[in-house]
């Protein structure tokens, strides 16, 4: 069974270990010519076309030329929305463009030196001269790739703990930003920014930037997911009980025995195994309504295996939201778009294959297709829409 390995170097050649040691969530990094002879896989016209789609997540930020300064308009847009725009000082931003442009999805492969479950999407922005979204911070890591033209970046040196924003504007724009460094990115250059580093990018002529963003769930998100899943699987009839109760020293005192029972209840429900699986589900779930789409017909396990053996393959639903956690007993939890599947020890390699980037065909699965449990899992993944079965034509 084929198994992929993580890249050892960043685009541009910097060793990944050196990057994590010196820069990841510590300080910015500019890599000149990270993508030599780079040609953008999408044109401004194609980006505008995606912004017309009903499922697209698009914004138009008008520093000038809108109904008021810094107006934000939300898609989906109509073609007329792009007619009559001023010659400068506006920006079109579209999230998850990797869903629409296969070459951008392939670009994410270059960033698998970071665990794949941390990858979020590729956002693409286009701006004419002067276009920008104001000085701001992000709560996640981001790699900014200059795809077309040039952009001037003004960045801060240290993370901002408590930002002060310009009041009464549509965008979250820092009120008192002063840059510590100014740089101009050319096509193929790449800038890494840790979370909460202030930055302000301004287009120099026609400009397009690819933003590779990363997931960073909040503590509240993690707790909410963990507790919600715990409550869903609990027996609602179970209640606190104290058959060994004895008279209290004071009727209002909550005794140590009661506190120990309460702690045991919580620790029993919120076991390490439950927390692990809840976290895995959280960081692989769909974030912008990009839920998997089931096929028009239901596939049987035998039908899936036969189609693969006859030259078919499985295509992961985009964006790729697979992950896995190996357990001490050899079993594995597989996560797909927030759903959890359990594999026995003998089938654990299938989880790492599905959560990788290799082609999913009969050769990849090899003898695993002879396993009834694996065939059943693949049929569930197909019928739930996590993978699409593409038959040999």
């Amino acid at each position: 069974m084929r198994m992929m390995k993580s890249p050892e170097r960043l685009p541009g050649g910097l060793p990944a270990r050196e990057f994590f040691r010196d820069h990841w969530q510590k300080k910015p990094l500019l890599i000149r010519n990270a993508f030599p002879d780079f040609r953008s896989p999408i044109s401004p016209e194609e980006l505008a076309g995606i912004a017309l789609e009903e499922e697209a997540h698009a914004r138009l930020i008008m520093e000038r030329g809108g109904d008021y300064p810094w107006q934000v308009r939300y898609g989906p847009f109509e073609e007329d929305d792009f007619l009559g725009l001023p010659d400068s000082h506006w920006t079109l931003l579209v999230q998850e463009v990797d869903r629409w442009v296969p070459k951008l999805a392939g670009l994410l492969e270059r960033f698998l030196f970071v665990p794949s479950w941390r990858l979020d999407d590729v956002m693409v922005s286009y701006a004419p001269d002067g276009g920008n979204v104001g000085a701001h911070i992000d709560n996640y890591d981001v790699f900014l790739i200059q795809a077309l033209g040039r952009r001037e970046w003004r960045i801060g040196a240290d993370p901002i703990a408590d930002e002060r924003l310009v009041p009464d504007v549509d965008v979250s724009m820092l009120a008192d930003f002063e840059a510590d460094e100014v740089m101009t990115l050319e096509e193929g250059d790449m800038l890494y920014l840790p979370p909460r580093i202030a930055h302000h990018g301004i287009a120099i002529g026609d400009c397009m930037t690819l933003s590779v963003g990363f997931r960073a769930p909040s503590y509240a998100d993690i707790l909410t997911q963990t507790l919600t899943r715990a409550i869903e699987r609990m027996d609602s009839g179970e209640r606190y009980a104290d058959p060994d109760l004895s008279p209290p020293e004071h009727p209002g005192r909550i005794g140590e025995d009661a506190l120990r029972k309460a702690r045991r209840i919580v620790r029993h429900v919120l076991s390490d195994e439950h927390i692990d699986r809840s976290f895995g589900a959280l960081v692989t779930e769909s974030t912008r309504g990009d839920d998997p789409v089931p096929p028009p017909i239901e596939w049987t396990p035998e039908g899936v295996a036969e189609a693969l053996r006859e030259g078919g393959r499985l295509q992961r639903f985009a964006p790729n939201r697979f992950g896995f956690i190996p357990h001490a007993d050899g079993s594995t939890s597989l996560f797909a778009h927030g759903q959890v599947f359990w594999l026995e020890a003998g089938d654990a390699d299938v989880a790492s294959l599905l959560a990788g980037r290799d082609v999913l065909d009969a050769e990849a699965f090899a003898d695993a297709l002879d396993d009834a449990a694996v065939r059943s899992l693949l049929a569930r993944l197909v019928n739930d829409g996590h993978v699409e079965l593409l038959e040999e034509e």
Side-chain angles (χ1 to χ4, degrees), residues 373-390:
V374 171
R375 294 197 300 270
S376 179
L377 170 66
L378 296 182
R380 286 188 62 190
L381 293 174
V382 170
N383 291 325
D384 288 346
H386 301 298
V387 294
E388 180 183 3
L389 180 54
L390 304 177

PDB file of all heavy atoms in Angstrom, residues 373-390:
ATOM      1  N   ALA A 373     -14.366  -5.517   5.872  1.00  0.00           N
ATOM      2  CA  ALA A 373     -14.513  -4.282   6.656  1.00  0.00           C
ATOM      3  C   ALA A 373     -14.054  -3.079   5.854  1.00  0.00           C
ATOM      4  O   ALA A 373     -14.665  -1.998   5.925  1.00  0.00           O
ATOM      5  CB  ALA A 373     -13.726  -4.393   7.957  1.00  0.00           C
ATOM      6  N   VAL A 374     -12.976  -3.229   5.083  1.00  0.00           N
ATOM      7  CA  VAL A 374     -12.482  -2.123   4.259  1.00  0.00           C
ATOM      8  C   VAL A 374     -13.482  -1.821   3.152  1.00  0.00           C
ATOM      9  O   VAL A 374     -13.787  -0.644   2.869  1.00  0.00           O
ATOM     10  CB  VAL A 374     -11.100  -2.457   3.671  1.00  0.00           C
ATOM     11  CG1 VAL A 374     -10.679  -1.406   2.642  1.00  0.00           C
ATOM     12  CG2 VAL A 374     -10.069  -2.551   4.784  1.00  0.00           C
ATOM     13  N   ARG A 375     -14.001  -2.845   2.512  1.00  0.00           N
ATOM     14  CA  ARG A 375     -14.999  -2.620   1.453  1.00  0.00           C
ATOM     15  C   ARG A 375     -16.220  -1.890   2.016  1.00  0.00           C
ATOM     16  O   ARG A 375     -16.773  -0.987   1.382  1.00  0.00           O
ATOM     17  CB  ARG A 375     -15.418  -3.952   0.822  1.00  0.00           C
ATOM     18  CG  ARG A 375     -14.303  -4.663   0.064  1.00  0.00           C
ATOM     19  CD  ARG A 375     -14.860  -5.736  -0.867  1.00  0.00           C
ATOM     20  NE  ARG A 375     -15.601  -6.762  -0.141  1.00  0.00           N
ATOM     21  CZ  ARG A 375     -15.077  -7.873   0.367  1.00  0.00           C
ATOM     22  NH1 ARG A 375     -13.758  -8.084   0.238  1.00  0.00           N
ATOM     23  NH2 ARG A 375     -15.808  -8.763   0.989  1.00  0.00           N
ATOM     24  N   SER A 376     -16.637  -2.282   3.212  1.00  0.00           N
ATOM     25  CA  SER A 376     -17.784  -1.626   3.851  1.00  0.00           C
ATOM     26  C   SER A 376     -17.486  -0.157   4.149  1.00  0.00           C
ATOM     27  O   SER A 376     -18.331   0.724   3.931  1.00  0.00           O
ATOM     28  CB  SER A 376     -18.160  -2.371   5.136  1.00  0.00           C
ATOM     29  OG  SER A 376     -19.239  -1.741   5.788  1.00  0.00           O
ATOM     30  N   LEU A 377     -16.273   0.117   4.632  1.00  0.00           N
ATOM     31  CA  LEU A 377     -15.883   1.499   4.916  1.00  0.00           C
ATOM     32  C   LEU A 377     -15.889   2.332   3.640  1.00  0.00           C
ATOM     33  O   LEU A 377     -16.427   3.451   3.619  1.00  0.00           O
ATOM     34  CB  LEU A 377     -14.488   1.534   5.542  1.00  0.00           C
ATOM     35  CG  LEU A 377     -13.845   2.927   5.671  1.00  0.00           C
ATOM     36  CD1 LEU A 377     -14.626   3.786   6.656  1.00  0.00           C
ATOM     37  CD2 LEU A 377     -12.387   2.805   6.094  1.00  0.00           C
ATOM     38  N   LEU A 378     -15.305   1.807   2.573  1.00  0.00           N
ATOM     39  CA  LEU A 378     -15.241   2.562   1.327  1.00  0.00           C
ATOM     40  C   LEU A 378     -16.644   2.851   0.789  1.00  0.00           C
ATOM     41  O   LEU A 378     -16.913   3.948   0.283  1.00  0.00           O
ATOM     42  CB  LEU A 378     -14.425   1.800   0.282  1.00  0.00           C
ATOM     43  CG  LEU A 378     -12.944   1.579   0.622  1.00  0.00           C
ATOM     44  CD1 LEU A 378     -12.235   0.852  -0.513  1.00  0.00           C
ATOM     45  CD2 LEU A 378     -12.251   2.909   0.923  1.00  0.00           C
ATOM     46  N   ALA A 379     -17.555   1.878   0.925  1.00  0.00           N
ATOM     47  CA  ALA A 379     -18.929   2.105   0.475  1.00  0.00           C
ATOM     48  C   ALA A 379     -19.600   3.204   1.295  1.00  0.00           C
ATOM     49  O   ALA A 379     -20.328   4.046   0.753  1.00  0.00           O
ATOM     50  CB  ALA A 379     -19.726   0.807   0.567  1.00  0.00           C
ATOM     51  N   ARG A 380     -19.345   3.229   2.598  1.00  0.00           N
ATOM     52  CA  ARG A 380     -19.914   4.290   3.438  1.00  0.00           C
ATOM     53  C   ARG A 380     -19.372   5.650   3.034  1.00  0.00           C
ATOM     54  O   ARG A 380     -20.113   6.635   2.959  1.00  0.00           O
ATOM     55  CB  ARG A 380     -19.605   4.027   4.911  1.00  0.00           C
ATOM     56  CG  ARG A 380     -20.403   2.909   5.545  1.00  0.00           C
ATOM     57  CD  ARG A 380     -20.159   2.855   7.037  1.00  0.00           C
ATOM     58  NE  ARG A 380     -20.580   4.087   7.698  1.00  0.00           N
ATOM     59  CZ  ARG A 380     -20.290   4.366   8.973  1.00  0.00           C
ATOM     60  NH1 ARG A 380     -19.563   3.536   9.700  1.00  0.00           N
ATOM     61  NH2 ARG A 380     -20.725   5.506   9.508  1.00  0.00           N
ATOM     62  N   LEU A 381     -18.069   5.712   2.770  1.00  0.00           N
ATOM     63  CA  LEU A 381     -17.466   6.980   2.373  1.00  0.00           C
ATOM     64  C   LEU A 381     -18.035   7.464   1.036  1.00  0.00           C
ATOM     65  O   LEU A 381     -18.274   8.662   0.848  1.00  0.00           O
ATOM     66  CB  LEU A 381     -15.953   6.840   2.273  1.00  0.00           C
ATOM     67  CG  LEU A 381     -15.208   6.584   3.594  1.00  0.00           C
ATOM     68  CD1 LEU A 381     -13.728   6.317   3.326  1.00  0.00           C
ATOM     69  CD2 LEU A 381     -15.367   7.766   4.546  1.00  0.00           C
ATOM     70  N   VAL A 382     -18.238   6.534   0.110  1.00  0.00           N
ATOM     71  CA  VAL A 382     -18.826   6.897  -1.185  1.00  0.00           C
ATOM     72  C   VAL A 382     -20.266   7.354  -1.001  1.00  0.00           C
ATOM     73  O   VAL A 382     -20.675   8.407  -1.516  1.00  0.00           O
ATOM     74  CB  VAL A 382     -18.760   5.707  -2.164  1.00  0.00           C
ATOM     75  CG1 VAL A 382     -19.575   6.005  -3.420  1.00  0.00           C
ATOM     76  CG2 VAL A 382     -17.312   5.403  -2.544  1.00  0.00           C
ATOM     77  N   ASN A 383     -21.056   6.594  -0.256  1.00  0.00           N
ATOM     78  CA  ASN A 383     -22.481   6.900  -0.119  1.00  0.00           C
ATOM     79  C   ASN A 383     -22.735   8.148   0.720  1.00  0.00           C
ATOM     80  O   ASN A 383     -23.782   8.790   0.576  1.00  0.00           O
ATOM     81  CB  ASN A 383     -23.217   5.696   0.478  1.00  0.00           C
ATOM     82  CG  ASN A 383     -23.280   4.523  -0.479  1.00  0.00           C
ATOM     83  OD1 ASN A 383     -23.400   4.712  -1.692  1.00  0.00           O
ATOM     84  ND2 ASN A 383     -23.167   3.314   0.039  1.00  0.00           N
ATOM     85  N   ASP A 384     -21.793   8.498   1.586  1.00  0.00           N
ATOM     86  CA  ASP A 384     -21.929   9.737   2.355  1.00  0.00           C
ATOM     87  C   ASP A 384     -21.356  10.944   1.616  1.00  0.00           C
ATOM     88  O   ASP A 384     -21.487  12.082   2.084  1.00  0.00           O
ATOM     89  CB  ASP A 384     -21.224   9.608   3.714  1.00  0.00           C
ATOM     90  CG  ASP A 384     -21.967   8.696   4.667  1.00  0.00           C
ATOM     91  OD1 ASP A 384     -23.143   8.370   4.389  1.00  0.00           O
ATOM     92  OD2 ASP A 384     -21.378   8.300   5.698  1.00  0.00           O
ATOM     93  N   GLY A 385     -20.686  10.710   0.487  1.00  0.00           N
ATOM     94  CA  GLY A 385     -20.166  11.807  -0.319  1.00  0.00           C
ATOM     95  C   GLY A 385     -18.758  12.248   0.013  1.00  0.00           C
ATOM     96  O   GLY A 385     -18.261  13.225  -0.557  1.00  0.00           O
ATOM     97  N   HIS A 386     -18.078  11.529   0.920  1.00  0.00           N
ATOM     98  CA  HIS A 386     -16.713  11.929   1.272  1.00  0.00           C
ATOM     99  C   HIS A 386     -15.737  11.662   0.125  1.00  0.00           C
ATOM    100  O   HIS A 386     -14.725  12.360  -0.003  1.00  0.00           O
ATOM    101  CB  HIS A 386     -16.247  11.182   2.521  1.00  0.00           C
ATOM    102  CG  HIS A 386     -17.116  11.411   3.704  1.00  0.00           C
ATOM    103  ND1 HIS A 386     -17.293  12.656   4.268  1.00  0.00           N
ATOM    104  CD2 HIS A 386     -17.897  10.570   4.436  1.00  0.00           C
ATOM    105  CE1 HIS A 386     -18.123  12.566   5.298  1.00  0.00           C
ATOM    106  NE2 HIS A 386     -18.509  11.311   5.411  1.00  0.00           N
ATOM    107  N   VAL A 387     -16.026  10.653  -0.666  1.00  0.00           N
ATOM    108  CA  VAL A 387     -15.261  10.367  -1.874  1.00  0.00           C
ATOM    109  C   VAL A 387     -16.250  10.084  -3.005  1.00  0.00           C
ATOM    110  O   VAL A 387     -17.370   9.614  -2.765  1.00  0.00           O
ATOM    111  CB  VAL A 387     -14.293   9.175  -1.695  1.00  0.00           C
ATOM    112  CG1 VAL A 387     -13.192   9.484  -0.709  1.00  0.00           C
ATOM    113  CG2 VAL A 387     -15.046   7.914  -1.279  1.00  0.00           C
ATOM    114  N   GLU A 388     -15.816  10.377  -4.209  1.00  0.00           N
ATOM    115  CA  GLU A 388     -16.646  10.093  -5.377  1.00  0.00           C
ATOM    116  C   GLU A 388     -16.012   8.940  -6.146  1.00  0.00           C
ATOM    117  O   GLU A 388     -14.806   8.934  -6.375  1.00  0.00           O
ATOM    118  CB  GLU A 388     -16.740  11.330  -6.276  1.00  0.00           C
ATOM    119  CG  GLU A 388     -17.590  11.104  -7.527  1.00  0.00           C
ATOM    120  CD  GLU A 388     -17.604  12.330  -8.436  1.00  0.00           C
ATOM    121  OE1 GLU A 388     -16.917  13.321  -8.118  1.00  0.00           O
ATOM    122  OE2 GLU A 388     -18.291  12.276  -9.498  1.00  0.00           O
ATOM    123  N   LEU A 389     -16.838   7.978  -6.531  1.00  0.00           N
ATOM    124  CA  LEU A 389     -16.338   6.841  -7.304  1.00  0.00           C
ATOM    125  C   LEU A 389     -16.389   7.189  -8.785  1.00  0.00           C
ATOM    126  O   LEU A 389     -17.454   7.407  -9.370  1.00  0.00           O
ATOM    127  CB  LEU A 389     -17.201   5.602  -7.027  1.00  0.00           C
ATOM    128  CG  LEU A 389     -16.805   4.315  -7.754  1.00  0.00           C
ATOM    129  CD1 LEU A 389     -15.342   3.968  -7.508  1.00  0.00           C
ATOM    130  CD2 LEU A 389     -17.704   3.164  -7.333  1.00  0.00           C
ATOM    131  N   LEU A 390     -15.207   7.266  -9.380  1.00  0.00           N
ATOM    132  CA  LEU A 390     -15.085   7.557 -10.807  1.00  0.00           C
ATOM    133  C   LEU A 390     -14.776   6.247 -11.515  1.00  0.00           C
ATOM    134  O   LEU A 390     -13.707   5.675 -11.360  1.00  0.00           O
ATOM    135  CB  LEU A 390     -13.975   8.569 -11.058  1.00  0.00           C
ATOM    136  CG  LEU A 390     -14.095   9.901 -10.301  1.00  0.00           C
ATOM    137  CD1 LEU A 390     -12.894  10.784 -10.588  1.00  0.00           C
ATOM    138  CD2 LEU A 390     -15.383  10.614 -10.684  1.00  0.00           C
TER     139      LEU A 390
END
